[in-house]
Every structure is written in structure tokens, then in C-alpha cells.
Amino acid sequence: MNISDFKNPFFIGVAGVGMSAIAQYLQGIGKNVSGSDRYFHPDEYNKTKEQLENEGIKCFLQDGSGITAETDLVVVSTAIEDTVYEVKKAKELGIPIIKRSQLLAMIAKSKKTVAVAGTSGKSTTSAMLFQILLDAGLEPSIISGAGLTSIIKQGKIGNAYVGKGDWLIIEADESDGSVVQYEPEIGLLLNIDKDHQEIDELIELFTIFKNNTKSLYIVNQSNALAKTLSANVNNDFGFETEAGFNAKNFKQEGFKLSFEIDNQEFTMNAIGQHTVENAAAAVAVANQIGVDLKTCAESLSKYEGIYRRHQILGQKNGVWVIDDYAHNPAKCAASIKACQPLAEKVVAWFQPHGYGPTRFLRNDFVEEISNTLRENDEIWMSEIFYAGGTAVKDISANDLIEDIKAKGKKAFFVEDRNQFLETVKPSLSENSVLLLMGARDPSLEEFCKDLYEKL
């Protein structure tokens, strides 16, 4: 099956970030897209639904009414089970059903594709690369896992864009194993850290990804595991390494950072060494496609970031409040570290998600966070976010807090996050940062904004 074999696709779970991106892309290339979602309710406003309808995508309740004889393809995410009524209806009507990742792989085959892989930084790097190619006049397309601020400002969801050029940027996800389905022109590997799977499983997935890449495979030389998969160090990027695209002389002053690649000075409105690595990755790809370093630097100086990735909510009473999507041990540590140059004290709050993942990563969370916290810094956690299902609830966020305390660090548990602000207030003084971290919970954005308003 290829991209020209269907005209009227229907997405079950169309409001999800991965699904809505592909739905918008297909609508943008002329398909007649529709979809349903369990978060759509009669007579209830839903912002995502409105944004999809503004793009011309027809939205239905998840009751089967949107699937008709005209529907020639049904797309499901990994979260959609066979017992869902709409899946049964599609089977009865004999409509082909494919997973989101299979459809993305099909789209990727239809363009010159850059697939961005790794356990952290995919959305940020994809957004930076998109910005550079856009500013270089290459008219790229993107299908992303997060909204780009520059596109959100146009009133859109921000996670997809259809350009007239040859290049498409996608994220190749390892969490569901779908990274092995892509055969990109350029494969980019940002890092390998323990997240959803054990390290040896990840190495295996990224090795297949490397073998599937057609012309250029680029890795991060400053990530110990990623560099073992390098094809050619001259094509690679890194931070203070031997890589062809080596970022050095990194400085961070407040919310501005600067670094150099091959004698070209770069400045960005962003924080953290991990941001510099992501920027070097985007530059390595763009330059080898044919964009000069000066254009890359000019573009990144205007880069506006992506949704809930170190998003600065503002400053009140001398306290900066930052909202971040960090949710695995390496990301949480990098996020805290990036905030440390901003203030003498970082007060970080984290809501882990899922009992299984928290159990799997418990020791890594404890090690990474403990090693990052300075003497003044504090880590706070509220209870694990539970999305439903049959999870065994035999671990609490408090177990992680107790482990971190045992390492002599300042760690606190507030079971109900709605009590967090009142409890934490005595810890917040002038010259401190309040960093709010978590993922997978759709109510987090509102929680963070609300907390900032009440501060």
C-alpha cells in the first residue's frame, strides 16, 4: 500500500498529538480526512477539535457515525484496542486498518525524509531543523510530536506543516518500536538512555534504524552509547568532541546561550547544554543538505521553542516558573541542570506517569536526580499519574523521594498536587526557579498555568 491508494482516511483517536499531526499533514496534501476521539463529547467545547475542524478535518464522537462506506482507510494509535466499537465496525465493512506508525512510514517513503531518533530531544531537534530549512528557503514539511511555538501562534495545533519542498522531517519513536519501520534519506540519532526499554533492546532498534537509512546516518558523539553506532565521525555532531559538527565554548547567561561550530558563532534564547547538542544535531543535518553555517546561525537566533519544553511561564516575586515535559531520568536531570545557572536555588516538582514505567526506572530516577541536585536545590513529587488500565499499584512517588532523601538530598512528597503550592511556598525565595516537570497527563498544562497565576 502507498500514499496514493486511499482518499478518505478516518483516524480513531484523532486528538492525540501523534495522530493529529498525521491527520493535518494528509489534509494538507489533499486527502479528505475525518476522525473521532473519546475526548469529544456532545455540547462540550474541545480546543483540539476546533483546531482540526479549522483545517477542514471532520470530527465525530467515538460512536462509529464517522465511518461510512466512503471510508477507505482506518488509522489507529497503539492505545486503541480491538474491542473499540469503531474498530469492529471497520472490520465488518472490510476497511483496511493500519497503525499510526505504519502510516507515517508510508508518508516518509513518499518524500526525502529526515528521521530524528533518540530517547530525548526529538521534538526540539525536529523543530530547530524545520526552522533552519524554512529560513533557507527549502520549504520543508514536518510531522512532529509537539507543537512548534511559531506555528501555534497562527492558531494551529502546531505539530504539522506541509511545505512545497522535497524534505519532510519526522520523529522516529523507539518507545513503541516503530523506529525500525522507517527508511529515511537521513537518519539522525540524538542519544540512547534508559527510558521505555532496556539498553540492549534500544541498541538493537537503533542498529536496524541505521541499516535502514539510505544515504546519511548522523549520531551524537558526546553520548556514550549513540557514538558506538557512528558511520562516519565527520558527519556527526557533539559537545566538546571530535565530531565534524562540534559545539564548543558554550556559555549560558540567564535565558541566553552561545556556542561555536567550526568558528561560526551561535546565540539562542534557550537554556541548557542539551539544547546546544540538539542545535548541533540540526546544524549537522542542515549543513550536509546544503545550508551554510551562517544561515543556520541566523535561523537559530530566532528559534522560538516548542510547547511545554522549558516553557517560561513568567516571573513572580523573584521566582521564575518553568514548565517542562521531562519525564525520564536523563530528561529530568538535564532539565534541572539547565535551570541551575538561572538562580541560586532550583525547586523542582515532578509527577511521574504510570506505575510500570516508574517501577522500571526507579533506581535511575534516584541516581540521576540525586547527582544533579546542588546543596540548595530541592526535588518535590506528587503521586504517580494513572491513566487507567490494570496496573499493579505497588509503588509510590514517595518511594523515590525516600530513596533520594537517603542520599542526603532535599526531597519532599506532596501526595495531592493541589496541595503542592501551599506546601512549597516557604521554600520559594527571591532568586529561585520553580521547575514543573511531567508528561502524558493532559491536565498538566492547565495545572502549571494555574499554579503560576496563584503564586
Side-chain angles (χ1 to χ4, degrees):
M1 191 179 201
N2 70 43
I3 195 95
S4 54
D5 291 341
F6 61 89
K7 181 78 181 110
N8 304 307
F10 185 90
F11 287 72
I12 304 175
V14 72
V17 68
M19 295 282 271
S20 66
I22 299 178
Q24 291 167 90
Y25 178 84
L26 290 179
Q27 186 72 20
I29 62 166
K31 303 290 181 189
N32 179 28
V33 182
S34 54
S36 65
D37 203 277
R38 66 191 169 105
Y39 289 110
F40 298 163
H41 302 295
D43 310 319
E44 192 180 293
Y45 175 71
N46 182 293
K47 187 180 178 187
T48 307
K49 178 173 181 274
E50 182 182 69
Q51 289 170 315
L52 290 168
E53 288 175 339
N54 287 344
E55 298 295 317
I57 295 166
K58 291 180 265 330
C59 293
F60 295 88
L61 302 180
Q62 210 162 55
D63 59 5
S65 59
I67 297 176
T68 67
E70 301 291 298
T71 310
D72 51 10
L73 183 70
V74 167
V75 188
V76 294
S77 67
T78 34
I80 305 292
E81 290 159 351
D82 287 350
T83 50
V84 172
Y85 172 64
E86 289 184 309
V87 175
K88 290 180 181 170
K89 181 172 179 182
K91 283 180 176 170
E92 280 165 20
L93 292 172
I95 303 165
I97 301 170
I98 66 170
K99 286 207 158 55
R100 182 194 78 86
S101 56
Q102 292 171 293
L103 178 54
L104 185 54
M106 198 191 297
I107 293 169
K109 280 197 175 88
S110 71
K111 301 280 282 182
K112 281 169 85 169
T113 296
V114 180
V116 182
T119 41
S120 303
K122 292 186 288 292
S123 300
T124 301
T125 306
S126 298
M128 288 177 183
L129 177 59
F130 173 75
Q131 186 69 51
I132 294 170
L133 299 189
L134 194 65
D135 290 341
L138 293 176
E139 300 192 49
S141 301
I142 188 170
I143 296 173
S144 169
L148 282 68
T149 305
S150 56
I151 305 176
I152 291 172
K153 281 181 170 176
Q154 301 165 29
K156 299 174 187 288
I157 298 173
N159 54 355
Y161 183 89
V162 178
K164 294 189 181 78
D166 295 336
W167 288 101
L168 166 68
I169 301 157
I170 65 164
E171 291 178 37
D173 196 1
E174 81 295 334
S175 65
D176 58 2
S178 62
V179 63
V180 301
Q181 298 180 22
Y182 308 109
E183 295 172 10
E185 199 74 28
I186 298 175
L188 177 61
L189 179 60
L190 300 173
N191 39 51
I192 304 176
D193 297 298
K194 192 171 165 185
D195 188 349
H196 304 272
Q197 294 106 320
E198 294 290 0
I199 293 296
D200 52 355
E201 291 172 33
L202 289 170
I203 297 273
E204 197 178 317
L205 289 174
F206 291 129
T207 303
I208 296 169
F209 175 62
K210 175 183 178 176
N211 295 336
N212 286 347
T213 296
K214 290 180 198 160
S215 59
L216 189 59
Y217 192 71
I218 300 169
V219 308
N220 183 356
Q221 283 286 334
S222 35
N223 181 269
L225 293 170
K227 75 187 274 189
T228 63
L229 294 179
S230 173
N232 181 342
V233 68
N234 295 324
N235 300 333
D236 293 341
F237 68 97
F239 182 85
E240 303 287 358
T241 61
E242 299 304 304
F245 294 83
N246 175 39
K248 56 184 189 182
N249 300 335
F250 163 55
K251 290 185 200 69
Q252 181 179 322
E253 285 173 20
F255 291 95
K256 260 202 166 20
L257 53 83
S258 62
F259 58 95
E260 274 175 33
I261 297 176
D262 200 9
N263 298 322
Q264 173 67 52
E265 178 83 21
F266 286 78
T267 58
M268 293 179 72
N269 295 313
I271 56 174
Q273 181 191 314
H274 64 292
T275 302
V276 175
E277 286 182 32
N278 293 336
V283 169
V285 175
N287 187 252
Q288 291 176 88
I289 284 174
V291 182
D292 62 74
L293 291 182
K294 188 168 180 288
T295 305
C296 293
E298 282 167 5
S299 178
L300 288 177
S301 71
K302 303 192 294 267
Y303 172 68
E304 294 182 86
I306 57 174
Y307 169 72
R308 286 205 66 230
R309 304 303 195 275
H310 273 133
Q311 197 168 9
I312 299 154
L313 298 181
Q315 187 182 34
K316 270 192 186 168
N317 313 321
V319 180
W320 283 104
V321 183
I322 295 174
D323 177 14
D324 192 48
Y325 192 75
H327 59 279
N328 70 23
K331 286 176 181 168
C332 287
S335 197
I336 294 167
K337 206 171 169 182
C339 291
Q340 287 170 336
L342 300 173
E344 287 159 13
K345 180 179 187 178
V346 174
V347 177
W349 171 85
F350 176 50
Q351 176 184 274
H353 69 270
Y355 288 87
T358 306
R359 196 183 308 111
F360 178 62
L361 295 168
R362 175 178 177 170
N363 296 340
D364 301 82
F365 271 124
V366 171
E367 285 303 315
E368 294 269 11
I369 291 173
S370 300
N371 291 341
T372 305
L373 293 175
R374 301 170 299 186
E375 198 181 339
N376 273 346
D377 297 338
E378 298 176 4
I379 178 73
W380 294 65
M381 290 188 198
S382 294
E383 198 47 282
I384 296 163
F385 170 68
Y386 171 59
T390 52
V392 181
K393 299 180 181 179
D394 59 353
I395 187 169
S396 162
N398 194 32
D399 296 330
L400 279 66
I401 288 296
E402 290 300 326
D403 291 354
I404 294 169
K405 256 190 216 165
K407 290 183 170 288
K409 300 293 179 176
K410 293 175 178 165
F412 308 90
F413 178 62
V414 179
E415 184 174 0
D416 178 359
R417 72 184 189 187
N418 295 319
Q419 255 106 60
F420 169 64
L421 183 58
E422 280 316 303
T423 321
V424 80
K425 268 185 175 167
S427 288
L428 299 172
S429 55
E430 288 215 3
N431 201 6
S432 60
V433 170
L434 177 57
L435 170 65
L436 306 167
M437 302 183 291
R440 308 277 190 270
D441 172 356
S443 68
L444 269 174
E445 180 197 5
E446 280 313 307
F447 168 74
C448 296
K449 281 182 181 165
D450 193 47
L451 186 141
Y452 174 67
E453 292 306 318
K454 290 176 179 164
L455 187 64

